[in-house]
């Protein structure tokens, strides 16, 4: 077959050919011979490369390059041919990129890239594709843009690193997402990303803003250059969108093993080697390319404002006058529409979020950010973006959204935001997005960060804004007891801060506060409300009420709680007392039945099941069953003690007599956080706290109940009602 190939090439040697000049039989013989040469091994493949590279055969190779491409490409597949043969194939592709018709050859390579799954072939096609795009003349921006879109579509087919569900909320393994080189997908993902960044490098340099060069260009060339910049920005933001935002882009900690080795060896070198994070290096390369395309980053921040920022807070842009608009012909209108569509594609929410995260949180190229932008403006243009990002289920994405929020809020002062901006939907939606993370995210550290950010966000508003935020959240809790309890706690904090002002704000006192209290101090089903289901908000509501009656005396009545007291007593406290009594009776009966059933059972290991809060619990051992029931009883005791304290304070105000000496209390009246202690006292009594489940040191004089015995009451020194403030 090698002889046939040489015969055909000899026939067309040193000839300048057109497509019609080739005889179909000669082309077929050449292509079949070329395939056989690659199949025969190293010697024949080397001969093929030598003949293709021969200048005398350039005319013939130029005409058959389109058809030779699909012959050579399959041999680049991993394991398809020896390494030397694959090397010769890459050489053939390099020659074709130099001699073939550029537009035709680009289309041929893009056709091969469609649906391609083999990364080895993909990376082998990038150098010739890069070279042939550089050979294009005239308008090439759209062709480069089409190529970049195709290349990124291949990257999106590469799966993300394996997602492992955390075994416990403390698990931080997600921080290694994309860093763990043992993951089977990481190497493939990063290799492809690095190859694409290397591929796009010459085009970034080509589009670099050089005033002296642009001054020599005509109008068409400048327009094509601007389109090229847009295409490159679009591609780079796509890389930030996928895969970089899903990976850990932080600096990795110092390698501990190496430090220990240095200490043991007694080396004098104090330098610490930081682990290389390939994900972060890719992100840094993206940011450096964006910096080349627009040194001030004003373009990307403008995209955040134009497509993500609230409409009423966008920067005013220069618009064309009516006369100029009328003078535009149909072609200009069509071009304008195309440019607007390109801009919308650029404004990928995830890509822009990753860009802002790298810029503002990781401080990459931070010196290139426009210094004239205020912190309020930066927060406004990112608000929609953050809300969308926090809805994603991926923990690395949530982490970046939360960290970006933390940075933006950290630059704002308390009371700097007016309630008026809450009329813009995104500002009212951000707290809901943070609550979504607090409820749905499996990682404790992210939930805690979201909680802290919610508090910080509320504190940035004026009093009216805080009131509107908390009231709006109450109406959108969807019946989630935990969320409602959180909001009640925030209301209590705002009331406390408000009462410390002189004079207090009207938004957390008087009639305005009464509106909130009516929503808080309300049992949805009256006395039949399921207290276990709603315990997460009933307890904070009682704590809020206890705080109000102690902090705000009837003769002052700043909060207005005493004005509505008859309604509170009748509509909330009385029904809650009835509900507690009903629930205690029910659970006491269940406790007796369970113990009796266990006593009469033949085997002590018998499995039992009960219903709690209307749901059938899975089968569990008897000891665990008893613990669940007793824990519920303890919760009712806590509610009872809070009710008793509220009644006690109100009666004191009514009669004018303060209690003296000791007050009869239950052990569950103690504030759990004041009693938590390490188990280092052999003479102390420790029990599980009914509020938080922590190991708790009980007060002196407390005697733990014996098995099967209910908790006993005991006396503690509490003092007059005013001293109760120390427990808040």
């Amino acid at each position: 077959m090698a002889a046939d190939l040489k015969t055909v090439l000899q026939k067309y040697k040193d000839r300048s050919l057109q497509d019609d000049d080739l005889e179909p039989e000669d082309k077929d013989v050449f292509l079949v011979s070329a395939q056989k040469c690659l199949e025969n091994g190293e010697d024949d493949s080397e001969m093929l490369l030598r003949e293709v590279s021969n200048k005398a055969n350039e005319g013939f190779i130029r005409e058959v390059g389109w058809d030779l491409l699909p012959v050579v490409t399959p041999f680049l597949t991993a394991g398809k041919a020896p390494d030397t043969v694959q090397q010769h194939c890459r050489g053939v592709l390099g020659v074709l990129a130099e001699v073939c018709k550029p537009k035709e050859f680009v289309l041929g390579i893009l056709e091969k890239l469609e649906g391609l799954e083999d990364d080895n072939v993909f990376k082998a096609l990038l150098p010739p594709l890069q070279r042939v795009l550089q050979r294009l003349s005239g308008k090439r921006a759209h062709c480069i843009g089409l190529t970049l879109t195709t290349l990124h579509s291949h990257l999106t087919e590469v799966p993300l690193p394996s997602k492992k569900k955390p075994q416990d909320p403390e698990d931080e393994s997600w921080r290694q997402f994309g860093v763990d080189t043992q993951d089977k997908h990481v190497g493939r993902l990063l290799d492809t990303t690095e190859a694409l960044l290397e591929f796009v490098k010459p085009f970034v340099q080509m589009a670099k803003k050089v005033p002296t060069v642009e001054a020599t260009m005509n109008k068409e060339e400048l327009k094509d250059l601007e389109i090229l910049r847009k295409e490159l920005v679009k591609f780079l933001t796509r890389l930030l969108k996928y895969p970089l935002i899903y990976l850990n882009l932080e600096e990795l900690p110092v390698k501990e093993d190496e430090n220990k080795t240095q200490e043991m060896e007694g080396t004098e070198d104090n330098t610490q080697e930081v682990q290389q994070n390939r994900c972060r290096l890719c992100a840094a390369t993206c940011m450096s390319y964006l910096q080349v395309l627009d040194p001030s980053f004003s373009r990307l921040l403008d995209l955040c404002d134009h497509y993500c920022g609230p409409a009423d807070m966008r920067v005013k842009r220069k618009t064309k006058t009516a006369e100029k608009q009328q003078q535009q012909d149909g072609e200009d209108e069509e071009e304008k529409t195309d440019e607007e569509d390109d801009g919308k594609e650029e404004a990928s929410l995830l890509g822009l979020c990753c860009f802002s995260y790298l810029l503002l949180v990781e401080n990459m190229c931070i010196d290139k950010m426009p210094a004239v932008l205020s912190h309020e403006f930066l927060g406004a243009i990112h608000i929609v973006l953050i809300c969308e990002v926090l809805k994603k289920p991926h923990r690395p994405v949530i982490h970046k959204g939360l960290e970006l929020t933390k940075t933006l809020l950290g630059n704002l002062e308390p009371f700097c935001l007016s309630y008026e901006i809450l009329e813009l939907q995104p500002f009212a939606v951000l707290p809901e997005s943070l609550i979504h993370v607090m409820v749905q995210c499996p990682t404790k550290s992210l939930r805690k960060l979201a909680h802290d950010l919610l508090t910080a966000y509320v504190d940035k508003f004026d009093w009216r804004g805080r009131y509107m935020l908390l009231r709006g959240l109450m109406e959108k809790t969807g019946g989630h007891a935990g969320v409602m309890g959180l909001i009640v706690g925030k209301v209590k904090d705002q009331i406390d801060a408000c009462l410390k002002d002189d004079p207090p704000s009207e938004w957390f006192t008087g009639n305005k506060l009464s509106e909130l209290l009516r929503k808080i101090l309300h049992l949805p089903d009256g006395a039949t409300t399921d207290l276990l289901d709603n315990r997460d908000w009933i307890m904070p509501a009682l704590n809020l009420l206890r705080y109000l009656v102690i902090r705000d005396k009837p003769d002052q009545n700043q909060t207005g709680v005493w004005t509505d007291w008859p309604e509170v007593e009748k509509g909330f406290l009385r029904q809650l007392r009835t509900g507690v009594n009903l629930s205690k009776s029910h659970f006491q009966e269940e406790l007796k039945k369970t113990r009796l059933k266990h006593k009469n059972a033949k085997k002590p290991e018998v499995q039992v099941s009960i219903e709690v809060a209307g749901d059938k619990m899975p089968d569990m051992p008897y000891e665990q069953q008893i613990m669940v029931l007793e824990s519920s009883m303890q919760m009712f005791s806590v509610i009872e003690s809070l009710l008793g304290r509220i009644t006690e304070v109100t009666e004191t105000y009514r009669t004018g007599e303060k209690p003296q000496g000791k007050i009869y209390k239950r052990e569950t009246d103690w504030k759990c956080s004041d009693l938590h202690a390490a188990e280092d006292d052999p003479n102390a009594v420790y029990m599980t706290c009914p509020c938080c489940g922590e190991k708790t040191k009980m007060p002196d004089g407390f005697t733990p109940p014996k098995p099967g015995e209910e908790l006993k009451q005991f006396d503690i020194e509490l003092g007059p009602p005013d001293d109760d403030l120390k427990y808040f």
Side-chain angles (χ1 to χ4, degrees), residues 2 32 80 111 114 178 181 235 284 330 401 417 425 442 463 481 483 501 523 601 638 655 683 707 711-712 718 728:
V32 172
K80 175 74 174 180
E111 183 179 330
E114 287 287 344
T181 55
F235 173 73
L417 299 180
Q425 185 181 11
W463 289 116
V483 174
D501 269 6
L523 295 176
V638 174
T655 61
N683 299 320
L711 292 174
K712 296 179 180 179
L718 189 61
F728 285 90

Side-chain angles (χ1 to χ4, degrees), residues 357-372:
Y357 168 81
L358 293 170
L359 178 66
L360 301 174
V361 180
E362 297 297 331
N363 293 322
M364 287 188 183
C365 305
I366 189 65
D367 56 320
K368 301 302 178 183
M369 188 181 75
V372 297

